[in-house]
Amino acid sequence: MVQCFDFLVIGSGIAGMSFALKVADKGKVAIVCKTALEDSNTYYAQGGIASVTNPIDDFEKHIQDTLIAGDGGCDRAVVEKVVHEAPEQIKKLIEWGVDFDKDEKGNFDLHREGGHSEFRILHHKDSTGAEIQESLVRRIKQHPNIKVFDHHFAIEILTQHHMGVKVTRHMDNIECYGAYVLNEKNKRIYTFLSKVTMMATGGIGCIYQTTTNPLIATGDGIAMVYRAKGLIKDMEYVQFHPTAFFHPSERPAFLITEAMRGYGAILRNKSGKEFMYKYDSRKELAPRDVVARAIDTEMKNRGDDFVYLDVTHKDPEETKKHFPTIYERCLKMGVDITKNYIPVAPAAHYLCGGIAVDINGESSIKRLYAAGECACTGLHGANRLASNSLIEAVVYAEAASQHALSKLSEYKFNDRIPDWNDEGTSLNEEMVLITQSAKEVGQIMSTYVGIVRSNLRLKRAFDRLDILYLETENLFVRSVVSKEICELRNIINVGYLVIKQAMERKESRGLHYTIDYPEKNELN
């Protein structure tokens, strides 16, 4: 069955929904989401969204903070674009119903996080992502031109390849015509044709054993674009959040927001001693890569599984007011954060690389845009500055919407795309193999491609993942297509890209730290 839309949006976080709302007055929009519309990485973003709104702050400070955190890897033009356009997009979010906290004078109640020189983080208590997600969902459901397809899984994007044309990675005229999409309710695969496609599938956290990401974060968009010969870059820059609640059996791990360190929380080892002063003069307010490596070093040197985050010296009522979600969640885990230290350890959190896009948000594949965590805009460089991701998503949703609308009249539906040919079989043992292989990917990535890397570890990861790749591709060819087998293919593809691009970077920079090349190459 074929469905035709002017705009196909794959993913339902802040990037995808913002784009949909910005183009919906000009055409029919389909939003494809693999679970429910409300389920995305955006929902789990606790800390907030960065923008210059404070009178003592200015654009140049935000630009410099971003460049410093990015460790020489940022595209300055992109940084300037996002920082300068951020206040206007904050206004748009407020128009859409997002409620940011304000003080008694009616000014934004701003937080400060690691790497920021000023208070510039707008937030809604400690559940900013949930507030944004719920506000956008309400707007989406009200718009007559937007149709939501929940429990639909995008399998592959459609290009000339599906018309029998040999597509190579270096072609400059690859075009996207939509996607093959699996309806999980009836197990049928549909052809979604579109004039414009927006990839907004979020992150890759689930390629690791321990992650703060929801279990849907399997890198689907990046893997699909890679298989379609699109350009993928900076995959080695995987950000580990320094402070996830230590509870080994819980997946995803519960995030303890960066804002808590901005509020005054102190990191301590298991003996109760402070340690950040040994690693950086900014101590707890150092950028995430610095803090995560410091915690990793402390744990390895002492043989510990976690460290502590201490907020017991702060006023209990103030702590509860600022961090109600964290307070209640930790209490359920047996930790009263106003009286007890919080056990924390780093967890895979955010990808700074992804689908390479230009200043308009368009990928190397024409008619295909990407925004949000799956996109590599050049803003984050080698390390994302805290709370820059949500604002990047809406700024690039705006850029992509404007560019796509200017080109829409030039694009036509491609009616030469054949239906998906699904001739596989399905056996119970296949599900066992898929589940076991997914666990193996997590073990490989966490063991060999974590916070600190080496040539030996990366080679071992590459060799082991290659075996799983061959087994999975063989299984995919002979099996009935399911979300589970597709997600396994995707996490293997994405894991391969992280390893391969990490092996190619012969230096330590930002989130990519290797003991074999501990210095930066200043020529890069």
Side-chain angles (χ1 to χ4, degrees):
M1 181 178 172
V2 177
Q3 304 238 30
C4 295
F5 293 89
D6 296 298
F7 303 94
L8 171 62
V9 180
I10 303 174
S12 63
I14 185 173
M17 287 198 290
S18 295
F19 177 83
L21 288 169
K22 289 170 183 289
V23 299
D25 289 341
K26 304 295 184 180
K28 293 172 59 181
V29 183
I31 299 180
V32 169
C33 43
K34 63 196 280 189
T35 51
L37 185 60
E38 294 81 1
D39 195 10
S40 77
N41 272 14
T42 298
Y43 187 88
Y44 294 85
Q46 292 177 350
I49 183 166
S51 177
V52 174
T53 59
N54 184 345
I56 66 170
D57 197 4
D58 60 51
F59 290 145
E60 189 57 32
K61 288 180 183 178
H62 192 180
I63 289 166
Q64 287 303 316
D65 290 345
T66 301
L67 294 173
I68 290 167
D71 202 16
C74 303
D75 182 328
R76 187 181 176 104
V78 170
V79 176
E80 291 177 352
K81 173 185 175 64
V82 173
V83 169
H84 283 279
E85 295 181 18
E88 192 60 34
Q89 293 308 313
I90 292 295
K91 290 178 183 176
K92 192 65 184 177
L93 288 174
I94 293 170
E95 273 182 44
W96 286 337
V98 178
D99 178 27
F100 294 114
D101 289 351
K102 294 184 177 179
D103 61 24
E104 60 278 0
K105 296 179 180 178
N107 299 316
F108 290 123
D109 176 31
L110 302 173
H111 280 171
R112 182 184 172 196
E113 298 181 344
H116 287 272
S117 58
E118 296 289 351
F119 286 78
R120 67 168 68 98
I121 314 302
L122 294 89
H123 64 96
H124 179 89
K125 297 183 172 60
D126 58 352
S127 55
T128 309
E131 169 65 17
I132 292 172
Q133 186 79 12
E134 289 164 0
S135 299
L136 296 188
V137 166
R138 286 194 293 270
R139 297 290 294 209
I140 290 288
K141 289 181 175 179
Q142 292 167 3
H143 204 293
N145 281 0
I146 300 176
K147 186 171 183 179
V148 177
F149 294 85
D150 60 4
H151 297 283
H152 279 65
F153 186 88
I155 300 170
E156 299 287 8
I157 59 170
L158 306 173
T159 66
Q160 294 98 315
H161 164 76
H162 297 96
M163 300 184 297
V165 177
K166 184 177 181 180
V167 174
T168 63
R169 197 163 301 281
H170 301 292
M171 285 175 59
D172 59 6
N173 63 341
I174 308 175
E175 289 191 317
C176 178
Y177 308 120
Y180 287 127
V181 178
L182 170 66
N183 180 339
E184 284 213 81
K185 297 168 186 174
N186 62 17
K187 305 305 180 185
R188 293 179 61 187
I189 296 171
Y190 295 81
T191 304
F192 277 63
L193 296 180
S194 61
K195 295 177 180 178
V196 169
T197 301
M198 164 58 78
M199 194 66 75
T201 51
I204 66 166
C206 289
I207 71 172
Y208 287 92
Q209 278 181 309
T210 305
T211 178
T212 61
N213 292 181
L215 301 184
I216 58 172
T218 49
D220 305 322
I222 296 169
M224 282 188 278
V225 173
Y226 173 70
R227 289 195 295 267
K229 314 300 183 185
L231 178 62
I232 310 294
K233 63 180 293 189
D234 290 351
M235 293 293 289
E236 67 271 32
Y237 296 135
V238 179
Q239 188 174 74
F240 286 76
H241 198 288
T243 54
F245 191 97
F246 179 75
H247 193 271
S249 63
E250 186 174 44
R251 197 167 189 260
F254 180 64
L255 177 69
I256 307 297
T257 175
E258 185 114 356
M260 189 166 276
R261 283 184 280 124
Y263 171 69
I266 297 167
L267 284 163
R268 302 182 184 277
N269 61 29
K270 285 183 74 174
S271 298
K273 295 181 179 178
E274 296 182 42
F275 59 83
M276 275 308 301
Y277 68 91
K278 296 188 292 184
Y279 299 94
D280 196 283
S281 61
R282 293 164 291 185
K283 299 194 286 189
E284 278 76 12
L285 288 178
R288 288 179 180 178
D289 61 324
V290 175
V291 180
R293 276 200 302 275
I295 293 172
D296 184 69
T297 301
E298 285 291 312
M299 292 193 305
K300 286 177 178 173
N301 287 345
R302 293 172 51 88
D304 295 335
D305 293 329
F306 60 87
V307 298
Y308 288 116
L309 190 65
D310 171 21
V311 75
T312 59
H313 55 287
K314 302 291 286 187
D315 178 76
E317 294 309 312
E318 187 181 4
T319 298
K320 293 177 190 177
K321 176 184 174 184
H322 282 296
F323 308 105
T325 306
I326 293 174
Y327 174 75
E328 292 296 334
R329 183 67 178 272
C330 288
L331 206 57
K332 289 179 181 177
M333 301 280 202
V335 176
D336 182 340
I337 66 174
T338 66
K339 300 175 182 177
N340 312 124
Y341 295 167
I342 309 167
V344 295
H349 181 62
Y350 190 88
L351 174 68
C352 292
I355 303 162
V357 297
D358 62 16
I359 203 77
N360 299 310
E362 189 172 24
S363 73
S364 61
I365 298 175
K366 303 304 179 188
R367 299 168 54 166
L368 175 68
Y369 297 80
E373 191 173 350
C374 72
C376 181
T377 66
L379 173 68
H380 306 305
N383 179 44
R384 175 178 69 105
L385 181 65
S387 292
N388 264 359
S389 51
L390 293 177
I391 197 63
E392 176 201 36
V394 287
V395 168
Y396 268 83
E398 172 69 18
S401 68
Q402 293 301 317
H403 189 260
L405 288 171
S406 73
K407 298 284 186 178
L408 190 63
S409 61
E410 301 174 18
Y411 301 147
K412 307 298 179 188
F413 294 113
N414 190 320
D415 57 6
R416 292 181 291 158
I417 300 292
D419 290 339
W420 179 273
N421 181 19
D422 190 358
E423 297 179 346
T425 58
S426 182
L427 302 172
N428 288 335
E429 68 168 333
E430 290 170 0
M431 281 304 301
V432 176
L433 290 171
I434 291 167
T435 301
Q436 183 58 39
S437 295
K439 288 180 180 178
E440 287 184 55
V441 174
Q443 291 166 353
I444 290 167
M445 297 302 294
S446 294
T447 302
Y448 301 116
V449 201
I451 295 171
V452 177
R453 301 162 182 176
S454 70
N455 291 341
L456 178 62
R457 292 174 192 167
L458 292 173
K459 180 65 166 59
R460 285 183 174 175
F462 188 91
D463 291 343
R464 284 155 175 74
L465 203 64
D466 190 50
I467 294 169
L468 289 177
Y469 168 76
L470 294 172
E471 291 176 352
T472 301
E473 288 302 307
N474 180 53
L475 187 62
F476 180 77
V477 168
R478 61 184 174 85
S479 302
V480 169
V481 171
S482 65
K483 185 182 82 167
E484 290 77 14
I485 185 66
C486 290
E487 284 185 328
L488 177 58
R489 287 185 86 205
N490 292 342
I491 64 171
I492 290 173
N493 283 168
V494 170
Y496 161 79
L497 286 166
V498 172
I499 296 166
K500 181 174 180 288
Q501 295 187 8
M503 293 172 79
E504 290 170 352
R505 184 164 289 282
K506 310 297 185 184
E507 64 171 355
S508 289
R509 186 178 296 275
L511 299 167
H512 173 69
Y513 183 83
T514 169
I515 60 175
D516 292 299
Y517 307 99
E519 303 297 326
K520 295 185 187 69
N521 178 1
E522 297 305 331
L523 296 177
N524 275 18

